[in-house]
Amino acid sequence: GGPAPIYMGMVASPVFAKADLSHLRYCPSGGAPCPAELHREALEKTGQPILEGWGMTEGAPFCLNLYSGGKRKLLSVGNPVPGTELQVVDLENGDRVLPQGERGELRVRGPQMGAGYRNQPEETARTYRDGWVHTGDIGYVDEEGFVFLVDRKKDMVIVGGYNVYPREVDEVLFKHPKIREAATVGKPDPRLGEVLVAFVVLEEGASLTKEEFFEYCKTEMVKYKRPVDVHFVDSLPKTGTNKINRRALRERV
């Protein structure tokens, strides 16, 4: 398992349909979110659900989707693991707990958490506060305690005063039948503060014009969430752990 690009590459492989999957039992994923379309395609082709989890080096897993004997929800990273407390706090200061269902930064605490960063007191003070680890992830918790991640705090784009989460825009783009991968990032704009730019990888053999792309966005998204520019690329830059490298994309706009 691993981040979504690993599963995307797997199900898109021309030899995948010939693979013997009779012994496949678990498809765990973490590190980067799996879009809804990937969940559906992988389940159809493998017969096993992708089980997303959430954690970080500072504290091992925080939330997990159960393989059996428990409920799962599409796009949720599951429920907090035993002994782990989780709260959603405001994005400005991170000290006000938000109501159920409201989006904010997720902070966690439990016995598996680290104590800080070696020889980095300023970074430790930003992340470790009052016994909580501030994750930098934006999300919410529903009425059944399922945790949903929206985006990374550092990736959020503010368009004309509206908070826009690139992952939500990416989810809409993934639904287009000709798009295999997509990632959106923000760029400075003199009028709106920031605007969105999309990078898109098309399905093999597919063609899509900019006009068709923007028309699709117009029908599927409110105006402030629509990308103002699109780049069709052969592949998206990845980090060493196969996460989409949005920092590299931001350097291109």
Side-chain angles (χ1 to χ4, degrees):
I6 291 178
Y7 284 102
M8 287 179 171
M10 182 177 69
V11 298
S13 169
V15 300
F16 186 71
K18 303 175 184 178
D20 178 7
L21 304 178
S22 60
H23 293 283
L24 181 65
R25 293 293 179 268
Y26 303 97
C27 296
S29 180
C34 293
E37 289 304 310
L38 176 60
H39 276 285
R40 296 188 183 99
E41 185 177 7
L43 179 60
E44 178 184 343
K45 292 185 176 181
T46 69
Q48 297 290 346
I50 294 178
L51 305 173
E52 287 195 86
W54 172 55
M56 56 198 295
T57 304
E58 291 83 344
F62 304 148
C63 298
L64 294 171
N65 268 297
L66 300 176
Y67 171 69
S68 62
K71 185 176 181 179
R72 292 191 296 267
K73 292 186 178 182
L74 185 64
L75 300 183
S76 171
V77 292
N79 304 106
V81 298
T84 299
E85 296 177 77
L86 181 146
Q87 291 181 341
V88 182
V89 296
D90 67 283
L91 295 175
E92 291 73 26
N93 301 311
D95 55 10
R96 178 171 57 87
V97 179
L98 301 179
Q100 181 188 86
E102 192 167 329
R103 298 174 179 189
E105 183 180 5
L106 296 166
R107 68 180 184 183
V108 293
R109 66 182 177 189
Q112 77 272 42
M113 304 303 169
Y117 303 106
R118 185 172 183 266
N119 298 329
Q120 297 187 51
E122 292 183 0
E123 186 64 25
T124 296
R126 278 194 294 268
T127 303
Y128 293 83
R129 286 182 265 162
D130 300 321
W132 294 92
V133 175
H134 289 249
T135 66
D137 285 314
I138 299 173
Y140 65 94
V141 181
D142 72 5
E143 68 281 355
E144 294 183 282
F146 282 82
V147 179
F148 292 80
L149 300 181
V150 177
D151 221 323
R152 290 288 293 167
K153 188 176 179 180
K154 64 183 179 182
D155 291 332
M156 185 179 72
V157 181
I158 302 177
V159 180
Y162 292 98
N163 291 348
V164 179
Y165 305 104
R167 183 192 170 188
E168 293 185 328
V169 178
D170 296 347
E171 279 287 342
V172 176
L173 299 182
F174 279 126
K175 293 178 182 178
H176 194 289
K178 294 183 178 181
I179 293 177
R180 163 55 59 178
E181 284 190 275
T184 47
V185 296
K187 77 170 184 178
D189 180 81
R191 186 171 67 89
L192 295 174
E194 290 181 287
V195 290
L196 286 169
V197 177
F199 291 82
V200 170
V201 179
L202 297 178
E203 294 282 4
E204 186 175 355
S207 62
L208 187 69
T209 67
K210 284 191 173 185
E211 290 74 18
E212 291 170 334
F213 174 84
F214 291 128
E215 185 61 31
Y216 172 76
C217 293
K218 185 177 180 180
T219 60
E220 297 293 327
M221 290 179 264
V222 296
K223 187 174 182 179
Y224 67 86
K225 290 185 178 182
R226 298 175 202 158
V228 301
D229 195 9
V230 59
H231 300 276
F232 296 109
V233 295
D234 293 331
S235 63
L236 298 176
K238 307 291 197 312
T239 66
T241 55
N242 261 303
K243 300 178 185 179
I244 293 175
N245 191 338
R246 292 185 191 269
R247 178 183 297 178
L249 291 177
R250 281 192 287 266
E251 292 175 355
R252 298 186 189 181
V253 300

